Each structure stands twice: as structure tokens, then as C-alpha cells.
Amino acid sequence: MANKISFKKINPFVRFSATQTIGVTAPSLCDAEVFASDHRIYFCIEGEGVIYINDTKYILKPGSILIWRSGLVYKPCPTTSNFTCITVNFDFFETEKTQIEPIPPLGTRLFIKEKIIEYDLVFEDNEIFNDTIYFENIPECEEIMKEIVKTYRQGFNYSILFLKGLMIQLFKKIVEKNQINIMSNKKNIYDVVEYIHAHYDQDINNEIVANVFNYHPNYLSKIFLEHTGY
């Protein structure tokens, strides 16, 4: 049964953060399907790479961010060159049961629901955090991500408290970016509808329309449904 809660009550806890190079020179980190017991963030600062989450492909390049929930199967894939990311392992809530030590990813054959932290967590508000979050370009998060890894590495007396504040700042940037995208998508969907009206007598389909407006076909379908109900 889902554990529904307000996003306003979050008390984020950073369990681990580092700058990691992933790719052809780090075979132990890539090309294997694994899952994590806690939530993960990758923010790319150099190079380009690919991560599959539940078979969905995400391209990471400088300025892009990927945030996914605990328990999801993911696979960083090797590329022709390395890519470097700031990574964060975190929980949305710090409780008495929180495991403080870093939790390494596990192979899919070891998946047990009981190993997943916040497995059934559902936010009643801020629903963007109930799903995988991907922004191709959100450079305004870079300084916050660098400060997170720096603060975690220093480990001074108030680092846990300061990391909570940095995570909340990061989430604020995510919410702001999402709101901008929503407004942009509303305008673009209006343009898509106008395009369909103007070309309804031609041989058009989702892929053609998506290409005209520089969308992935699946994403176009998703936001078209959100804004039109069709």
C-alpha cells in the first residue's frame, strides 16, 4: 500500500556523494543491470554517456541531470569516451531506521522489496518527484551539486544539516525548471494542435509531428495527453 505524504514534510538525508568517472576506463561501474536501495542523482559535468532506467534511455552530457527512485533497475552504458558525473545517494526523509553508510547497488537477482528504502513513497503534491526526473540542460544546478559533494567529503560537524539545505535548494531548482517547462509545453501543444489542423488531410503521424517540434514521440504523446486529454 502506498505511503502518501506531502512533499512539504521532506527531511532529506544524503548518504553518499562523489564525483565519478563512468565509461570505458571504469568497467566495474557500467554495462550491468543493477538496482539501488536508495534514490540516486547523476549530474553530468564532462563527456557524454547513456543510462538506461527500466529500459528507458537517458543521455547525459554536461549540464544534464537524472534523478530516479529507489528500487528501479538501471544500467550505465559504456561510450566511446568517459563521462564524469557528480552522484548523490539520498532519502527524502531521515528516520531512526536510516542506514548511514553508503549502500552499493546490487545485481537484479538480489532484488528484495524489503531492501528498498522508501519503496512505496508517494507525494500527494509535487508529483514530479514520484517519477524519474530528467532535464537535458539545467546548468543552474551545477554549483549546488558541487557544493553537495564538497560538503559530504569534508564531513564537518554540521555537514548533515548543511546537506539537507543544499538538497532543498536543488529540489527548488528542479521545481522551477519544471514549471518553466510546463508553461513552454502548453504553448507548444497549442502550436501542435494548429499544425494538425493545418495538415489533417496529409499522411502525418506522431513521429512526423514530434520531429517538426523537436520532441521525442513518446514525450509528445505524454504532454499532449496532459494538456488536451486526448
Side-chain angles (χ1 to χ4, degrees):
M1 185 176 179
N3 178 23
K4 295 183 179 181
I5 195 166
S6 172
F7 189 79
K8 297 176 183 178
K9 296 182 179 180
I10 65 167
N11 183 27
F13 173 71
V14 173
R15 183 171 290 104
F16 176 75
S17 183
T19 301
Q20 296 180 309
T21 298
I22 304 166
V24 292
T25 62
S28 62
L29 291 176
C30 63
D31 205 27
E33 286 192 339
V34 295
F35 74 94
S37 297
D38 46 11
H39 313 302
R40 299 291 164 106
I41 303 175
Y42 274 42
F43 182 88
C44 186
I45 57 176
E46 186 177 357
E48 183 174 312
V50 173
I51 295 182
Y52 286 89
I53 300 178
N54 284 356
D55 296 325
T56 299
K57 179 180 179 180
Y58 298 93
I59 297 174
L60 290 178
K61 53 187 177 181
S64 59
I65 194 168
L66 184 61
I67 305 175
W68 67 97
R69 300 289 295 266
S70 58
L72 296 181
V73 174
Y74 68 96
K75 180 175 70 171
C77 292
T79 60
T80 55
S81 62
N82 299 329
F83 65 108
T84 301
C85 295
I86 296 174
T87 66
V88 178
N89 306 1
F90 75 98
D91 305 333
F92 285 105
F93 298 92
E94 181 182 11
T95 67
E96 294 179 355
K97 296 181 180 179
T98 297
Q99 180 176 335
I100 296 176
E101 296 81 11
I103 307 174
L106 298 171
T108 53
R109 62 183 178 83
L110 299 175
F111 179 89
I112 300 175
K113 181 179 177 180
E114 286 70 27
K115 291 183 178 181
I116 310 303
I117 300 172
E118 301 179 343
Y119 184 80
D120 295 321
L121 179 65
V122 175
F123 292 112
E124 298 176 308
D125 47 0
N126 247 338
E127 294 181 355
I128 183 177
F129 290 96
N130 292 331
D131 202 353
T132 300
I133 297 171
Y134 170 70
F135 290 117
E136 184 179 8
N137 188 36
I138 185 167
E140 55 266 38
C141 289
E142 182 168 354
E143 289 305 314
I144 299 174
M145 292 297 296
K146 288 181 176 178
E147 193 63 28
I148 287 173
V149 70
K150 176 183 175 182
T151 303
Y152 176 83
R153 189 169 57 242
Q154 289 174 338
F156 50 82
N157 288 341
Y158 300 104
S159 60
I160 293 178
L161 179 62
F162 291 164
L163 285 167
K164 292 180 189 295
L166 288 168
M167 290 294 289
I168 290 172
Q169 288 183 48
L170 179 68
F171 294 155
K172 180 175 181 289
K173 295 293 185 185
I174 296 295
V175 170
E176 290 171 347
K177 182 73 170 181
N178 187 53
Q179 290 299 319
I180 291 172
N181 284 359
I182 288 173
M183 296 303 296
S184 176
N185 285 340
K186 283 183 178 179
K187 178 183 180 302
N188 288 346
I189 291 303
Y190 174 82
D191 293 338
V192 168
V193 172
E194 290 294 304
Y195 180 87
I196 293 172
H197 285 170
H199 299 83
Y200 73 93
D201 57 341
Q202 300 176 17
D203 185 19
I204 60 173
N205 56 37
N206 186 42
E207 290 188 0
I208 292 173
V209 177
N211 185 59
V212 169
F213 291 92
N214 198 28
Y215 279 118
H216 188 284
N218 292 344
Y219 184 67
L220 176 60
S221 296
K222 177 177 181 291
I223 62 174
F224 195 88
L225 177 62
E226 288 176 354
H227 293 292
T228 69
Y230 296 97

